[in-house]
Amino acid sequence: MHRELIDQARVDGYDAFCVGALIVRHGRLLMLRRAASDSWAGRWEPPGGGVETGESLAEALAREVQEEAGLAIASALYIGHLDYPAHENPLLPASRGFFFAAEEPPSRGPVRINQTEHDRFAWFRPDGVRSTRPDLRALVARRLALTSRSAPEPW
């Protein structure tokens, strides 16, 4: 399925890709705040980042969550995408972001953010998610609506 997502994104005109993990603990969503030195300083976002050449979406998701939050991913379920046009950030190419409902293993650890990219993390209630993007809030709502019957699939 991930190959089809990339293929469709290319048809839609995107050649750069990123991933995001919507991780929930005790009914709260993990969000990271971009560091002051970043081009999107102060912006709150889920852990994630760019897909490297030759890397699958699953590999990129696991790597980015580990790098940005120090967490492992046990399973994930694709829940939707967001497009980032070039005009949103002139320093980055236009890209498509693929978002996943991500589950941690039972032995989950503490969040350890990468201070070069983010300066803060928080677990937000569904109604308190800080994002300027309504489409991201819609994906968060979809993530929080998942039930145990539709738990993310193992990698």
Side-chain angles (χ1 to χ4, degrees), residues 3-4 6 8 17 24 33 41 56 65 69-70 83 97 104-105 108 120-121 135 146:
R3 182 84 246 144
E4 288 124 11
I6 295 286
Q8 183 59 53
F17 313 106
V24 173
R33 188 175 71 183
S56 72
V65 170
D83 292 331
E104 301 172 275
R108 63 184 178 223
R120 188 169 170 215
F121 77 91
D135 47 1
L146 289 175

Side-chain angles (χ1 to χ4, degrees), residues 8-148:
Q8 183 59 53
R10 286 196 169 111
V11 168
D12 294 342
Y14 294 95
D15 289 317
F17 313 106
C18 55
V19 292
L22 301 176
I23 301 170
V24 173
R25 279 189 191 172
H26 309 295
R28 293 175 182 253
L29 179 76
L30 176 63
M31 298 287 280
L32 312 177
R33 188 175 71 183
R34 287 278 181 179
S37 60
D38 190 84
S39 58
W40 277 337
R43 184 179 198 172
W44 286 91
E45 62 188 6
V51 177
E52 296 177 358
T53 303
E55 192 174 43
S56 72
L57 295 179
E59 291 166 337
L61 189 68
R63 177 185 53 75
E64 284 289 346
V65 170
Q66 180 63 45
E67 287 176 4
E68 291 193 351
L71 299 175
I73 297 295
S75 60
L77 175 71
Y78 174 71
I79 59 171
H81 72 268
L82 301 179
D83 292 331
Y84 299 92
H87 71 271
E88 275 192 23
N89 187 335
L91 301 176
L92 298 173
S95 62
R96 174 157 293 168
F98 301 100
F99 286 81
F100 295 84
E103 297 292 331
E104 301 172 275
S107 60
R108 63 184 178 223
V111 175
R112 293 181 316 277
I113 59 173
N114 176 341
Q115 295 285 331
T116 60
E117 292 185 45
H118 298 94
D119 61 7
R120 188 169 170 215
F121 77 91
W123 295 93
F124 287 102
R125 291 186 329 264
D127 60 350
V129 171
R130 295 179 182 175
S131 172
T132 57
R133 293 191 62 138
D135 47 1
L136 178 58
R137 288 193 301 274
L139 289 178
V140 168
R142 191 175 309 157
R143 165 60 174 108
L144 294 167
L146 289 175
T147 65
S148 59

